[in-house]
Amino acid sequence: QVQLVESGGGSVQAGGSLRLSCVASQTKRGINTMGWYREAPGKPRDVVATATSGGLSYYDDSVKGRFTISRDDAKNAVYLQMNSLTPEDTAMYYCNMRSGYSSYPIDIGDWGQGTQVTVSS
């Protein structure tokens, strides 16, 4: 099974920026969508942004214009640049790689262990 390792989380003040990185331990054939999901306390895990092998990107409305997803297939990596962070962005962020092209259902594909993002006001 492919292992995904996330990094880049941390604590920042509102208005700050963070860049999350996720690297797969090995190349896995058939990965079409790489993405980021987050799980805030008391809330279910939900999609933040995804990027397909065909170049299509999806963003949750709450992050549009602030977050940018990118992927480097040669490095088996996906990144999330997060700008203008707000306390509402506080959550555990998880990397996901899947064969399908849809962001849903949530619980499929390979997952990282998560990286915590905390935004203070």
Side-chain angles (χ1 to χ4, degrees):
Q1 185 175 356
V2 175
Q3 291 186 334
L4 307 182
V5 180
E6 299 117 331
S7 60
S11 297
V12 296
Q13 291 190 329
S17 298
L18 286 172
R19 185 174 186 257
L20 305 184
S21 299
C22 171
V23 180
S25 59
Q26 60 188 15
T27 300
K28 183 175 181 179
R29 296 172 64 96
I31 294 296
N32 291 306
T33 301
M34 299 182 180
W36 291 93
Y37 293 69
R38 65 186 177 187
E39 188 172 328
K43 295 185 178 180
R45 188 175 301 187
D46 206 353
V47 62
V48 177
T50 59
T52 71
S53 56
L56 297 177
S57 298
Y58 166 84
Y59 295 93
D60 183 75
D61 286 344
S62 65
V63 307
K64 283 181 181 177
R66 301 188 298 121
F67 291 11
T68 302
I69 190 170
S70 60
R71 53 187 285 173
D72 186 337
D73 291 347
K75 296 181 178 179
N76 300 317
V78 61
Y79 309 96
L80 187 68
Q81 178 66 43
M82 305 187 295
N83 299 327
S84 302
L85 285 161
T86 73
E88 288 69 37
D89 296 315
T90 295
M92 184 72 78
Y93 284 71
Y94 296 90
C95 170
N96 175 266
M97 296 187 183
R98 57 182 60 194
S99 58
Y101 289 93
S102 175
S103 302
Y104 297 94
I106 296 289
D107 57 343
I108 61 173
D110 297 315
W111 291 92
Q113 81 287 353
T115 185
Q116 179 67 38
V117 171
T118 302
V119 185
S120 58
S121 58

